[in-house]
Amino acid sequence: METPQYVAARIQRALAEDERTNELGIRVDVRGDQVFLRGQVSCEERRHGIEDVAREAAPGLTVHNEIRLLEVRAPGEEEHL
Amino acid sequence: MKALRVAAVADIHLGEDIRGHYRKKLEGIEHRAEVLLVGGDLTRHGTREEGRVVADELCDLPIPVIAVLGNHDYHSDAEEEITAMLRDAGIIVLDDDAAVVSLDGVRLGVAGGKGFGGGFAGKCASEFGEPETKAFVRHTKEIAERWRHALKDLDADHRVVLSHYSPVKDTLAGEPPEIYPFLGSYLLAEAADAEGADLIVHGHAHLGTEKGMTPGGIRVRNVALPVIEHAYAVYCLDGEGVH
């Protein structure tokens, strides 16, 4: 079996370099044949796109998409400097 | 002197898939702030099409918008076209220079640009060895030098530095320390500390922390959207003026 560290690195590189994603802020953890994706993105389409690219980079492994959608709240209290 | 309310955000990563969403969050901004600063990574892939979305989302706001580009905005080699599109839409885009806007009689000077990496004092790259390493470090040095000049010549009541990359480690807390050299450089902070500023805002570090400070005591704020989790943060610069 391929070393998990190299699998994680390959997925992370694919997410950054693949034109469909170009995502640099996704955490990738590999445990055995399980891949865990964590981070935040702006919409459902981007969340799925990341999962697709990760699956292609790690064929045969089970990908768990734990990426959550970034909820942009109304502006809060101002800070006095 | 009147206090100024500065709205700031970075890493909005706009594209066709979320067109219109961010604009809605800017409604009423004129009641909350006098100016909006946008600290780079306006797009996701740096394409012209995404640049158009950014121009459409940020144009015709009732308050001035000042922006810099981020690394994502350079990815498709269309940074000059994106900059031109934004400028055509009335957005001030800084590229290692400065602009002064008069807001209710108070002059706000903003200096900056994309910035770059290299790391932080004691744990950073040096201009030594292979040409590739030297070029990497030289890029940051040249940027810092241009910021220093821009700040030196900046005549304003309040001065803010707008960057994409971070000038300090404080606001990176939460990111893996191994990647700090790709997230910012102390040379950016050194330039601001040498010439003085009231505030530095940046983005780039999605997993970082909002608040930090330069070694010289200038407040630093990481306003990456995933960090602030609000449409923008608002910082009120009180009447005292330049740090």
Side-chain angles (χ1 to χ4, degrees):
Chain A
M1 200 176 81
E2 196 182 357
T3 314
Q5 285 89 338
Y6 290 130
V7 179
R10 190 174 65 238
I11 298 169
Q12 204 137 33
R13 182 177 292 274
L15 294 177
E17 295 176 359
D18 193 297
E19 291 298 323
R20 289 169 292 171
T21 47
N22 289 147
E23 291 285 350
L24 277 68
I26 304 299
R27 178 172 164 181
V28 179
D29 288 301
V30 178
R31 298 284 183 276
D33 60 355
Q34 313 282 311
V35 177
F36 299 87
L37 305 174
R38 273 175 252 170
Q40 283 184 305
V41 294
S42 300
C43 65
E44 196 62 46
E45 202 179 327
R46 292 184 189 182
R47 209 168 80 93
H48 287 308
I50 290 166
E51 185 178 325
D52 291 345
V53 171
R55 280 187 200 287
E56 286 171 27
L61 302 191
T62 305
V63 175
H64 300 276
N65 190 347
E66 297 179 0
I67 294 167
R68 61 185 187 94
L69 294 181
L70 175 62
E71 191 199 337
V72 180
R73 299 197 294 259
E77 204 182 324
E78 64 190 34
E79 183 195 1
H80 286 260
L81 299 179
Chain B
M1 191 172 34
K2 261 191 75 175
L4 263 191
R5 294 168 304 169
V6 176
V9 66
D11 303 82
I12 51 178
H13 293 289
L14 301 180
E16 278 298 344
D17 53 354
I18 53 170
R19 180 186 272 278
H21 292 206
Y22 189 67
R23 177 72 186 201
K24 276 191 216 135
K25 306 280 182 186
L26 296 176
E27 276 170 22
I29 190 170
E30 68 275 20
H31 304 301
R32 297 176 180 274
E34 276 75 49
V35 63
L36 172 64
L37 307 183
V38 190
D41 275 5
L42 314 171
T43 68
R44 211 174 163 214
H45 312 284
T47 60
R48 290 161 195 81
E49 294 72 23
E50 289 177 337
R52 170 49 51 205
V53 175
V54 177
D56 291 346
E57 300 271 301
L58 298 181
C59 73
D60 298 328
L61 283 180
I63 59 172
V65 180
I66 304 177
V68 298
L69 300 191
N71 54 319
H72 279 249
D73 308 318
Y74 276 73
H75 183 64
S76 301
D77 299 320
E79 63 275 9
E80 288 178 10
E81 284 163 87
I82 292 173
T83 299
M85 249 185 261
L86 296 177
R87 287 182 176 152
D88 285 346
I91 297 156
I92 298 170
V93 183
L94 299 180
D95 184 15
D96 299 339
D97 51 6
V100 178
V101 284
S102 186
L103 306 164
D104 255 348
V106 181
R107 290 168 308 144
L108 173 70
V110 183
K114 173 181 66 66
F116 200 49
F120 298 90
K123 298 176 181 66
C124 59
S126 307
E127 204 175 329
F128 175 82
E130 301 89 328
E132 291 82 358
T133 307
K134 288 180 190 151
F136 180 86
V137 177
R138 199 178 303 128
H139 184 49
T140 313
K141 274 190 179 173
E142 288 168 357
I143 287 169
E145 196 52 35
R146 289 196 288 268
W147 289 13
R148 201 182 280 244
H149 284 293
L151 281 166
K152 194 189 276 293
D153 298 335
L154 193 55
D155 181 20
D157 301 315
H158 291 289
R159 294 144 66 95
V160 174
V161 175
L162 177 60
S163 175
H164 179 59
Y165 285 78
S166 178
V168 295
K169 281 192 297 191
D170 306 19
T171 48
L172 302 181
E175 293 280 359
E178 295 88 343
I179 67 167
Y180 281 12
F182 301 101
L183 298 178
S185 165
Y186 79 97
L187 295 171
L188 307 175
E190 193 179 37
D193 276 335
E195 300 301 333
D198 301 301
L199 169 69
I200 306 177
V201 293
H202 73 89
H204 194 44
H206 292 203
L207 302 177
T209 305
E210 184 187 2
K211 296 178 185 181
M213 203 179 273
T214 65
I218 302 172
R219 253 75 68 90
V220 179
R221 295 292 178 264
N222 175 359
V223 294
L225 203 50
V227 171
I228 59 173
E229 294 187 314
H230 289 86
Y232 46 86
V234 180
Y235 304 110
C236 189
L237 304 177
D238 290 325
E240 294 305 311
V242 178
H243 166 80

